[in-house]
């Protein structure tokens, strides 16, 4: 029997990656962990984020997964600190997205993410290394991920925050493509599009799912089932999951559970 793919995130955002995986790899079983209790990660220190991430990775180890997708951009900026500590391969969300943007041959790119992600400059450095002519406008948000994690999808506050961020970026210069560099943001992609229909939005979830598919194919690890299942674990309230599952049209949910990753991993 083939093992599952593990997907982890600071909260519900990583379900955007699950959605892309279910489209690209419908036969795979997926184990999801969202650390809703400690979300948002984007306003925490690197030490805190690392410690919480290792708890989730230990949980994934206890589930005997064959690969882990770090859906969270914020956690992905720290990948070098934990990727070699586990037996399973760990795939970040930033590298495949950077490769995709480079292939698009575009020059004016906006990147909106958590304060942590933007401050690390990870996207900016990786893009400029591959194309020194690319023009990047980075915008960090303190509150957007938290609002989405609280289920405020179609909400005036969420709309206002997105509007302010888009205005900030536009004031700094022209952008044609906008990377939704936080997994929570594609959940409210419709609001972004409504406010700025001229922008081409880039959802990193598709690129990460492609990278996972490629890795599994190269290593002969693809499942041969027709239909895979989705097992959801959260450290916090699971009510919001019903709302996201419906919005993203996620399929074949086996169970939704609340767990403490520390206790569950033992
Ligand atoms: N989902 C996370 C990301 O992709 C951010 C949300 C948070 O701040 O916890 O960066």
């Amino acid at each position: 029997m083939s093992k599952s793919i593990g997907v982890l995130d600071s909260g519900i955002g990583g379900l955007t990656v699950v959605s892309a995986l279910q489209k690209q790899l419908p036969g795979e079983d997926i184990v999801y962990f969202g650390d809703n209790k400690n979300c948002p990660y984007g306003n925490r220190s690197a030490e805190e984020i690392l410690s919480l991430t290792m708890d989730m990775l230990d949980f994934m180890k206890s589930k005997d997964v064959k690969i882990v997708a770090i859906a969270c951009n914020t956690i992905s900026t720290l990948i070098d600190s934990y990727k070699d500590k586990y037996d399973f391969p760990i795939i970040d969300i930033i590298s495949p997205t950077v490769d995709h943007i480079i292939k698009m041959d575009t020059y004016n790119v906006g990147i909106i993410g958590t304060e942590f992600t933007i401050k690390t400059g990870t996207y900016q450095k990786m893009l400029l290394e591959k194309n020194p002519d690319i023009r990047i406008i980075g915008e960090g948000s303190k509150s957007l991920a938290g609002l989405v994690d609280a289920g405020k999808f179609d909400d005036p506050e969420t709309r206002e925050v997105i509007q302010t961020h888009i205005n900030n970026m536009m004031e700094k210069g022209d952008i044609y493509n906008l990377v939704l560099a936080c997994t929570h943001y594609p959940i409210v992609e419709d609001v972004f599009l409504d406010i700025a229909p001229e922008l081409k939005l880039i959802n990193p979830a598709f690129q990460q799912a492609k990278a996972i598919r490629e890795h599994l194919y190269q290593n002969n690890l693809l499942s041969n089932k027709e239909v895979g299942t989705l097992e959801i674990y959260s450290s916090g309230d699971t009510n919001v999951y019903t709302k996201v599952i419906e919005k993203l049209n996620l399929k074949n949910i086996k169970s939704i559970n609340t767990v403490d990753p520390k206790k569950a991993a033992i």
Side-chain angles (χ1 to χ4, degrees), residues 32-209:
Y32 184 82
F33 192 93
D35 194 6
N36 301 73
K37 187 177 153 208
N38 297 303
C39 186
Y41 276 26
N43 305 333
R44 293 179 179 276
S45 68
E47 292 70 30
E48 277 178 309
I49 296 170
L50 264 180
S51 154
L52 294 167
T53 300
M54 303 276 281
D55 290 343
M56 289 197 276
L57 284 165
D58 290 345
F59 175 78
M60 287 299 172
K61 188 176 166 190
S62 77
K63 291 283 165 194
D64 196 25
V65 294
K66 59 183 169 186
I67 192 165
V68 167
I70 304 290
C72 184
N73 290 259
T74 307
I75 304 176
S76 289
T77 64
L78 300 169
I79 187 146
D80 290 340
S81 315
Y82 55 79
K83 76 165 188 286
D84 297 329
K85 292 190 161 64
Y86 293 84
D87 292 341
F88 41 79
I90 299 179
I91 309 282
D92 73 304
I93 195 164
I94 300 179
S95 326
T97 308
V98 164
D99 291 344
H100 173 72
I101 298 167
I102 295 296
K103 278 194 208 122
M104 285 172 67
D105 206 19
T106 179
Y107 288 86
N108 291 55
V109 182
I111 300 179
I112 181 163
T114 63
E115 287 244 310
F116 189 94
T117 299
I118 300 303
K119 273 197 191 137
T120 61
T122 309
Y123 269 101
Q124 296 93 316
K125 278 181 231 151
M126 287 170 80
L127 282 166
L128 286 169
E129 235 166 61
K130 297 191 176 196
N131 179 357
D133 294 328
I134 204 160
R135 216 173 144 266
I136 305 161
I137 294 177
E139 174 79 2
S141 180
K142 264 199 169 71
S143 58
L144 188 52
L147 286 169
V148 175
D149 213 72
K152 295 187 172 177
F153 305 159
D154 188 16
D155 185 278
E157 200 184 345
T158 305
R159 175 172 280 269
E160 200 184 311
V161 167
I162 295 175
Q163 179 77 68
T164 305
H165 286 308
I166 289 181
N167 291 351
N168 289 348
M169 283 185 279
M170 299 287 195
E171 264 168 32
K172 289 184 199 149
D174 289 334
I175 50 168
Y176 305 129
N177 301 282
L178 177 61
V179 185
L180 301 180
C182 167
T183 46
H184 285 69
Y185 303 170
I187 296 174
V188 288
E189 194 174 45
D190 47 347
V191 183
F192 276 92
L193 278 174
D194 203 33
I195 293 173
E198 70 281 12
L199 288 180
K200 184 176 166 12
L201 302 181
I202 298 172
N203 176 359
F206 298 121
Q207 305 315 318
Q208 189 178 35

